């Protein structure tokens, strides 16, 4: 499928996530990296980049280093989602909705590494033992420090390397 977006400031196309469920993730990825808004999409949040990321990294005019300094803070998680609609006169309107209600019982699962190339984190809304809603949070960076190097003489900072830099370890290994 090929479409043309008009307007560089707020490029938008209609969503197809109501036709194909998998388009939900793919459209969020396109929004995250290129800034193309899918009108009618139920969840236009970033999916791989941090919620506080400024700009769109795959655009040629993006100034990543200038707009996004190195952050040593935890990533903020959004409790709301955005939905954009296109009015007949051509203006975009943004509506925010809560992901979970105030009465919802939400449990964090992860971040964990279940034999994937990255880490998964879920926020799960439970009603007893039944899962009512799940909010996947993707995009954690795989740092490759799951196994310590057999030649390392100390293991003093190994427990912290998964949340910091892979350069802390002598030889980080990546499982594939």
């Amino acid at each position: 499928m090929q479409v043309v977006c008009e307007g560089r400031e707020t490029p938008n196309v209609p969503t197809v996530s109501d036709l194909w469920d998998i388009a939900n993730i793919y459209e969020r990825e396109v929004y995250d990296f290129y800034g193309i808004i899918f009108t009618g999409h139920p969840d236009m949040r970033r999916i791989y980049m941090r919620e506080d990321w400024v700009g769109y990294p795959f655009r040629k005019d993006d100034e990543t280093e200038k707009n996004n300094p190195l952050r040593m803070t935890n990533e903020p998680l959004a409790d709301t989602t955005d939905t954009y609609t296109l009015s007949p006169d051509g203006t975009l309107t943004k509506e925010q909705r809560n992901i979970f209600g105030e009465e919802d019982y939400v449990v964090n699962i992860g971040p964990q590494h279940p034999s994937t190339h990255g880490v998964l984190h879920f926020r799960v809304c439970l009603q007893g033992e039944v899962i009512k809603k799940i909010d996947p949070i993707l995009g954690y960076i795989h740092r490759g420090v799951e196994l310590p190097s057999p030649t390392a003489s100390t293991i003093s900072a190994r427990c912290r390397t998964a949340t910091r830099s892979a350069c802390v370890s002598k030889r980080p290994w990546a499982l594939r």
Side-chain angles (χ1 to χ4, degrees):
M1 179 182 300
Q2 184 176 0
V3 296
V4 177
C5 296
E6 301 216 4
R8 183 121 178 107
E9 294 302 314
T10 55
N12 62 80
V13 293
T15 185
V16 293
S17 64
D18 52 346
L19 300 174
W20 298 290
D21 286 337
I22 193 62
N24 185 343
I25 301 294
Y26 291 143
E27 289 176 357
R28 284 181 66 186
E29 181 180 6
V30 169
Y31 168 72
D32 200 3
F33 292 136
Y34 294 100
I36 298 172
I37 296 169
F38 291 87
T39 57
H41 191 281
D43 189 1
M44 276 278 93
R45 287 181 293 155
R46 291 195 177 270
I47 192 164
Y48 292 115
M49 306 302 290
R50 291 174 56 112
E51 291 286 335
D52 57 355
W53 188 267
V54 177
Y56 304 100
F58 286 1
R59 282 189 176 183
K60 292 182 180 180
D61 62 350
D62 187 66
E63 297 176 336
T64 301
E65 292 82 13
K66 178 183 167 190
N67 295 331
N68 297 287
L70 179 64
R71 295 176 181 96
M72 298 303 285
T73 59
N74 290 332
E75 178 181 357
L77 296 178
D79 289 328
T80 60
T81 181
D82 300 330
T83 302
Y84 292 88
T85 55
L86 189 63
S87 62
D89 64 352
T91 59
L92 277 175
T93 57
K94 178 179 171 180
E95 176 188 343
Q96 283 193 332
R97 288 188 242 157
N98 290 332
I99 297 170
F100 300 108
E102 289 187 23
E103 300 295 320
D104 288 339
Y105 184 74
V106 180
V107 176
N108 282 307
I109 300 176
Q112 58 186 334
H113 190 287
S115 301
T116 63
H117 292 292
V119 180
L120 294 175
H121 178 196
F122 298 105
R123 291 191 296 178
V124 181
C125 175
L126 298 173
Q127 185 174 21
E129 295 179 359
V130 177
I131 297 174
K132 286 177 31 181
K133 183 187 275 187
I134 206 166
D135 181 34
I137 299 159
L138 309 174
Y140 284 89
I141 296 173
H142 187 287
R143 305 229 187 248
V145 292
E146 286 74 22
L147 291 175
S149 173
T151 61
S153 59
T154 62
I155 57 169
S156 61
R158 300 261 182 218
C159 61
R160 298 183 191 170
T161 56
T163 58
R164 304 239 170 114
S165 172
C167 299
V168 174
S169 181
K170 270 188 175 179
R171 285 190 193 144
W173 289 3
L175 297 175
R176 294 226 178 219

